[in-house]
Amino acid sequence: MIYLSDHIEHTALKQGMTEINIRDNLELCYEYSIPVIVIPPSFVKYTASVVRQGISVCTVIGFPLGYNTTETKVCEIRNAIDNGAQEIDLVIDNSLIKGNAWTELDERLGLYRKACEGKILKIIVETSLLTRQELDNTADSLAKNGVDFIKTSTGFVGEGAKTEDIKFLKDYYGHALKIKASGGIKTKAQVIELLEAGADRIGTSSTKQVMEN
Amino acid sequence: MIYLSDHIEHTALKQGMTEINIRDNLELCYEYSIPVIVIPPSFVKYTASVVRQGISVCTVIGFPLGYNTTETKVCEIRNAIDNGAQEIDLVIDNSLIKGNAWTELDERLGLYRKACEGKILKIIVETSLLTRQELDNTADSLAKNGVDFIKTSTGFVGEGAKTEDIKFLKDYYGHALKIKASGGIKTKAQVIELLEAGADRIGTSSTKQVMEN
């Protein structure tokens, strides 16, 4: 039997939240036994200071457009880890993929992996904007560079996780990469479909709706 | 007589661009004598290396959600200036405004102003998400802290520049702050309306359409 809650990362990435919103989101994680909460970098320190044991604090880097420089991303990773982040979801610069800059992609992933030493590193690639060949090359680079997860989407650009992309990633890279499906996931049926397709984790802000229906 | 082109900042902030796209956008600036180009941080070094004299390179910081930490934003500002940026459009963290953290807002603006020494600093506040009182308090803080421009919108969140907000800002803060209207500006009629309302500059990606119709 699958326990849905084991696979959910509860996501609270709206602009303009306050500490009260963070506490409300944490309460929701406690209520449904959600193991990971994903919050903005500006709230990592606060969240890490109040969260109960057993819940990982995850934040986003270069989010949601990914076109910050490598120097800025490394700075943001270090700051997030200093503030208490245990998992890092980093948006890769799609310009590298669209420009076929695969060597540079490898180099940057090496730097991000190093900066995240000992923490879980997920790379967000915005799968809905990539051709199958681009997704294949990108997943290959992620696997080679010791990234823990490929994450499909930011939820701010493009269309979100597609079942066919999850199946492709599971078939060809499931031995080397875990898969986080995200973007537009709002129902229990979607969650089950994506888990059955091979997703290891689901990122959603609709946790209450997913868990209750 | 108003020369529209003097007031336009041509904006190219899509995800996934390549150097070819940057060159095409620069050609458009040359064609219409646009004085400022706004591009992602990842393209500042390249753009600064190829741009003709007389065009300022502007980039965005903490874009578009603004919820990066102050440490990350200062790191991103310094990196952008090292790479050749002459103008900085920084997204303020709306959580400070929504949480009434005015002292902290002042402190952060002081740090950003210092990091941008000698460069033009514009602060993006996403006016469409603020009450009039919040906008008033925010503009007051910007003016006190030596910010050059208040910029209305990222174009990624909320509704973009409203004429009534420009008029309010011009009436009450026009002596201390310049105004950059941005977000959803696509026609010459809109540009003229916003300039007449008191905007000093217009940020738009629809430069060709604005200049030709």
Side-chain angles (χ1 to χ4, degrees):
Chain A
M1 186 178 169
I2 290 178
Y3 288 96
L4 285 195
S5 61
D6 291 349
H7 299 274
I8 287 179
E9 301 191 8
H10 176 63
T11 304
L13 289 171
K14 275 195 188 157
Q15 199 196 38
M17 291 191 296
T18 62
E19 292 180 357
I20 295 169
N21 300 122
I22 295 291
R23 290 200 297 274
D24 288 346
N25 279 285
L26 281 171
E27 285 300 327
L28 203 142
C29 291
Y30 304 151
E31 186 179 348
Y32 295 106
S33 302
I34 304 297
V36 182
I37 187 164
V38 189
I39 43 90
S42 57
F43 282 111
V44 170
K45 192 177 251 181
Y46 175 74
T47 307
S49 75
V50 296
V51 68
R52 285 188 201 159
Q53 263 202 322
I55 299 190
S56 288
V57 175
C58 175
T59 196
V60 289
I61 303 294
F63 191 85
L65 298 174
Y67 53 42
N68 316 78
T69 65
T70 303
E71 291 86 347
T72 298
K73 283 178 175 169
V74 168
C75 180
E76 189 162 41
I77 290 169
R78 289 192 179 137
N79 182 242
I81 292 174
D82 283 350
N83 286 338
Q86 291 151 292
E87 306 196 7
I88 296 291
D89 287 15
L90 180 147
V91 186
I92 203 65
D93 189 343
N94 263 346
S95 292
L96 297 176
I97 299 169
K98 296 297 177 183
N100 285 303
W102 305 109
T103 306
E104 201 175 336
L105 180 61
D106 278 339
E107 285 168 8
R108 293 202 197 177
L109 290 170
L111 292 172
Y112 302 144
R113 180 66 277 178
K114 198 175 165 204
C116 286
E117 211 174 341
K119 309 295 175 188
I120 292 176
L121 172 60
K122 310 176 206 118
I123 298 288
I124 311 175
V125 302
E126 216 69 83
T127 47
S128 78
L129 302 183
L130 304 187
T131 64
R132 178 53 53 91
Q133 185 62 56
E134 288 168 344
L135 179 58
D136 193 0
N137 292 355
T138 304
D140 182 59
S141 183
L142 266 54
K144 273 194 308 193
N145 286 287
V147 168
D148 298 297
F149 281 80
I150 184 168
K151 176 176 169 183
T152 63
S153 323
T154 60
F156 283 79
V157 180
E159 288 179 49
K162 290 179 185 167
T163 304
E164 68 205 57
D165 288 333
I166 303 296
K167 281 183 179 158
F168 167 77
L169 290 169
K170 183 71 179 177
D171 284 350
Y172 289 89
Y173 294 97
H175 61 288
L177 282 175
K178 290 180 185 162
I179 302 162
K180 177 175 172 182
S182 57
I185 303 173
K186 296 188 191 317
T187 68
K188 184 176 281 187
Q190 273 177 293
V191 168
I192 291 171
E193 182 177 320
L194 290 163
L195 289 175
E196 286 180 349
D200 299 279
R201 293 200 195 166
I202 302 291
T204 180
S205 54
S206 303
T207 301
K208 194 177 182 70
Q209 193 177 328
V210 164
M211 295 302 293
E212 296 219 330
N213 292 302
Chain B
M1 188 178 168
I2 291 176
Y3 287 98
L4 285 195
S5 60
D6 290 349
H7 299 273
I8 287 179
E9 300 191 7
H10 177 62
T11 303
L13 289 171
K14 275 196 189 158
Q15 200 195 37
M17 292 192 295
T18 62
E19 292 181 356
I20 295 170
N21 300 121
I22 296 291
R23 290 201 297 274
D24 289 345
N25 280 284
L26 281 171
E27 286 298 327
L28 202 142
C29 291
Y30 305 152
E31 186 180 348
Y32 295 106
S33 301
I34 303 297
V36 182
I37 186 163
V38 188
I39 43 89
S42 58
F43 282 111
V44 169
K45 193 178 249 181
Y46 175 74
T47 307
S49 75
V50 296
V51 68
R52 287 188 200 159
Q53 262 202 324
I55 298 189
S56 288
V57 176
C58 175
T59 196
V60 289
I61 303 295
F63 192 86
L65 298 173
Y67 53 42
N68 315 79
T69 66
T70 303
E71 290 85 348
T72 299
K73 284 178 175 169
V74 167
C75 180
E76 189 163 40
I77 291 169
R78 289 191 180 137
N79 183 243
I81 292 175
D82 283 349
N83 285 337
Q86 292 151 290
E87 305 197 7
I88 296 292
D89 287 15
L90 180 148
V91 186
I92 203 66
D93 189 343
N94 263 347
S95 292
L96 297 177
I97 299 170
K98 295 298 177 184
N100 285 303
W102 306 109
T103 307
E104 200 175 338
L105 180 61
D106 278 339
E107 286 168 8
R108 293 202 196 176
L109 290 171
L111 292 171
Y112 303 144
R113 179 67 276 179
K114 197 175 164 203
C116 286
E117 212 174 341
K119 308 295 175 189
I120 291 176
L121 173 61
K122 309 178 206 118
I123 298 289
I124 311 176
V125 302
E126 216 70 86
T127 47
S128 79
L129 302 182
L130 304 187
T131 65
R132 177 53 54 90
Q133 185 63 55
E134 287 168 345
L135 179 57
D136 193 1
N137 293 353
T138 304
D140 182 59
S141 183
L142 267 54
K144 274 194 307 194
N145 286 287
V147 168
D148 297 298
F149 281 79
I150 183 166
K151 176 176 168 182
T152 63
S153 322
T154 61
F156 283 79
V157 180
E159 289 178 50
K162 290 179 186 168
T163 304
E164 67 206 57
D165 288 332
I166 303 296
K167 281 184 179 156
F168 167 77
L169 290 169
K170 183 69 179 177
D171 284 350
Y172 290 89
Y173 294 97
H175 60 289
L177 282 175
K178 289 180 185 162
I179 302 162
K180 177 176 173 182
S182 57
I185 303 173
K186 296 188 193 316
T187 67
K188 184 177 284 188
Q190 273 177 294
V191 168
I192 291 171
E193 182 177 319
L194 291 162
L195 288 175
E196 286 180 348
D200 298 280
R201 294 200 195 165
I202 302 291
T204 180
S205 55
S206 302
T207 300
K208 195 177 182 70
Q209 192 176 330
V210 164
M211 296 302 294
E212 296 219 329
N213 293 301

